[in-house]
C-alpha cells in the first residue's frame, strides 16, 4: 500500500471529495481554514484556488448541478461554483437560531442535503470543549430543495460526519464524543427511526463518506483516549474547567493515520492505517476520507496537504 502526499497552499484540509463527472472529472477538491477552496488535478501535480467562502470550509460534497456543497463552520451551508467562485448561501439558521458549527453533509440525487450541526453551544474554535463537555446539542438536519429545513435527529454527542446509503434507504451520522455511528432510516417500514449502526469505535470518528464500493468510510481522527473519557463522565464544573486551562496542559490528539470502512449492516470491512513514523511526522489527524476508483483520499484538520493510499 503506497502512501503519497500532495501539498496544498493552505492549512487545515479538513475534508476531500473527488469529482466523478463533468468538466472536473477526477479532480480533487478540499478547503482550508483561510476560506479557500482548492482544486487538485487528478495526477496531484497542480493545485488551484477556485473560490473563497469567507469562512471556514469543512465538509465538501458534489451537488447534482456541478457545484460544490460546502459546510462552512462560520457561514453555514453553502453552494460554491468552482468555475467562477460564486457562493450561494442555503442555510445560516434553523428555526430562526443561527447555526454554531455546520460540519459535514451528504447529498441525494434529487438535491436533498443531509448535514450536521455539531453543537448549539460551541463553535469550531471550541471543538475540544464540545468533546469534553458532551453537551449533546448536536443535530442531523435535512435541507429540501424547496428550502425547508427539518431536524432528523437531535441530542447528538458532537454530531459530525454524514453519509448516505447507496440506495438512499438511510443516513448515517457520526457522534464523535461517544465514538458511535448512528443510523436514521429514510425509507421502508422503519422510516423515521434512529438506531446505533456501529458502537465502540477504536477512535473518534470525524467525516464520513459513501464509497463507490457501497461502504461507509470513516475517518478516525485520533485513537480512544481514556483520560478524555474519564473527564466526560465527571461533573460539568470539572469538564468546563479543563478546557479553560492553557492548551499545552489539555488532553490532545495522538498522531495517527487511520480510516475504516463498514458495510450497511455495520460490519467492519477495511481497517487501514499508516504506522511509518516518517509519514506520521508529516501528516496526521485524518478528518476526511474518500474512496474512489481503488484509491483512498485523506484530509486533515491540521495539515497543509491531502494524502492518498493506493492501492489500498
Amino acid at each position: 500500500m503506497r502512501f503519497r502526499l500532495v501539498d496544498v497552499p493552505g492549512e487545515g484540509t479538513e475534508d476531500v471529495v473527488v469529482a466523478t463527472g463533468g468538466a472536473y472529472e477526477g479532480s480533487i477538491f478540499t478547503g482550508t481554514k483561510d476560506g479557500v477552496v482548492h482544486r487538485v488535478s487528478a495526477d496531484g501535480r497542480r493545485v488551484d484556488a477556485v473560490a473563497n467562502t469567507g469562512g471556514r470550509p469543512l465538509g465538501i460534497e458534489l451537488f447534482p448541478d456541478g457545484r460544490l456543497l460546502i459546510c462552512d463552520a462560520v457561514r453555514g451551508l453553502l453552494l460554491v461554483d468552482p468555475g467562477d467562485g460564486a457562493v450561494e448561501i442555503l442555510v445560516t439558521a434553523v428555526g430562526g437560531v443561527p447555526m454554531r458549527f455546520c460540519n459535514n453533509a451528504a447529498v441525494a440525487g434529487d438535491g436533498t442535503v443531509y448535514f450536521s450541526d455539531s453543537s448549539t453551544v460551541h463553535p469550531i474554535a471550541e471543538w475540544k470543549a464540545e468533546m469534553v463537555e458532551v453537551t449533546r446539542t448536536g443535530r442531523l438536519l435535512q435541507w429540501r430543495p424547496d428550502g425547508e429545513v427539518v431536524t432528523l435527529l437531535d441530542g447528538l454527542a458532537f454530531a459530525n460526519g454524514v453519509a448516505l446509503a447507496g440506495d438512499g434507504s438511510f443516513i448515517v451520522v457520526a457522534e464523535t464524543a461517544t465514538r458511535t455511528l448512528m443510523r436514521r432510516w429514510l425509507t421502508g417500514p422503519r422510516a423515521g427511526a434512529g438506531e446505533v449502526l456501529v458502537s465502540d469505535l477504536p477512535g473518534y470518528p470525524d467525516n464520513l463518506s459513501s464509497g463507490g464500493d457501497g461502504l461507509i468510510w470513516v475517518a478516525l481522527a485520533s485513537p480512544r483516549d481514556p483520560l478524555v473519557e474519564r473527564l466526560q463522565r465527571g461533573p460539568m464544573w470539572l469538564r468546563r474547567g479543563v478546557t479553560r486551562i492553557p492548551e499545552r496542559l489539555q488532553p490532545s490528539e495522538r498522531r495517527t493515520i487511520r480510516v475504516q470502512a463498514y458495510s450497511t449492516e455495520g460490519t467492519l470491512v477495511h481497517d487501514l492505517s499508516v504506522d511509518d513514523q516518517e509519514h506520521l511526522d508529516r501528516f496526521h489527524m485524518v478528518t476526511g476520507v474518500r474512496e474512489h476508483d481503488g484509491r483512498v483520499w485523506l484530509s486533515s484538520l491540521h495539515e497543509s496537504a491531502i494524502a492518498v493510499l493506493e492501492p489500498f
Side-chain angles (χ1 to χ4, degrees):
M1 182 172 65
R2 181 187 176 205
F3 179 82
R4 178 167 60 95
L5 285 178
V6 178
D7 292 329
V8 174
E11 182 183 349
T13 55
E14 204 271 348
D15 199 13
V16 62
V17 70
V18 182
T20 54
Y24 302 106
E25 171 74 36
S27 294
I28 302 96
F29 291 92
T30 189
T32 45
K33 74 176 186 179
D34 54 6
V36 176
V37 178
H38 306 267
R39 180 171 66 87
V40 181
S41 63
D43 60 9
R45 295 179 180 176
R46 177 170 177 170
V47 182
D48 296 300
V50 297
N52 193 315
T53 69
R56 196 340 174 175
L58 298 180
I60 183 167
E61 298 292 325
L62 304 174
F63 202 66
D65 66 4
R67 287 183 290 177
L68 301 172
L69 180 87
I70 307 281
C71 289
D72 190 293
V74 176
R75 301 195 65 199
L77 192 66
L78 314 175
L79 282 175
V80 172
D81 189 326
D84 62 12
V87 177
E88 177 185 348
I89 298 174
L90 295 183
V91 184
T92 60
V94 179
V97 179
M99 285 190 294
R100 299 279 284 173
F101 195 162
C102 187
N103 198 324
N104 198 231
V107 184
D110 66 354
T112 298
V113 177
Y114 303 90
F115 64 108
S116 60
D117 185 21
S118 294
S119 172
T120 62
V121 177
H122 296 292
I124 186 173
E126 299 169 6
W127 69 265
K128 288 186 178 180
E130 184 61 34
M131 272 291 296
V132 174
E133 292 179 20
V134 195
T135 67
R136 284 199 172 274
T137 59
R139 300 173 289 179
L140 174 65
L141 304 166
Q142 179 192 60
W143 176 87
R144 298 172 178 172
D146 63 4
E148 182 181 11
V149 177
V150 177
T151 299
L152 300 183
L153 290 173
D154 58 12
L156 300 177
F158 199 149
N160 203 325
V162 179
L164 184 66
D167 63 0
S169 61
F170 64 84
I171 189 78
V172 182
V173 59
E175 288 189 276
T176 300
T178 56
R179 296 184 288 111
T180 301
L181 303 185
M182 290 292 297
R183 166 164 52 192
R184 204 270 196 182
W185 288 97
L186 301 173
T187 64
R190 302 204 62 199
E195 64 183 11
V196 174
L197 178 65
V198 182
S199 62
D200 197 27
L201 288 162
Y204 300 101
D206 206 287
N207 293 337
L208 309 179
S209 62
S210 301
D213 50 14
L215 302 177
I216 304 297
W217 285 84
V218 185
L220 295 175
S222 180
R224 176 179 177 269
D225 189 324
L227 174 58
V228 168
E229 295 186 12
R230 284 199 299 271
L231 290 169
Q232 290 174 335
R233 296 190 292 271
M236 185 57 78
W237 64 265
L238 175 62
R239 286 181 265 166
R240 288 175 177 161
V242 165
T243 58
R244 287 169 173 77
I245 63 177
E247 188 168 359
R248 70 181 186 279
L249 301 177
Q250 296 177 23
S252 60
E253 67 279 356
R254 286 160 39 205
R255 296 189 77 90
T256 186
I257 302 170
R258 189 176 183 183
V259 297
Q260 294 185 325
Y262 289 85
S263 72
T264 54
E265 289 76 39
T267 301
L268 178 64
V269 179
H270 298 296
D271 189 352
L272 309 179
S273 62
V274 177
D275 301 316
D276 184 272
Q277 191 59 50
E278 180 182 355
H279 295 321
L280 288 170
D281 287 342
R282 300 177 62 201
F283 192 86
H284 83 299
M285 198 179 184
V286 177
T287 52
V289 57
R290 194 76 53 163
E291 182 277 330
H292 176 71
D293 206 18
R295 296 176 173 177
V296 177
W297 292 91
L298 310 174
S299 55
S300 168
L301 181 68
H302 291 324
E303 305 293 355
S304 298
I306 58 175
V308 60
L309 298 173
E310 51 180 358
F312 68 91

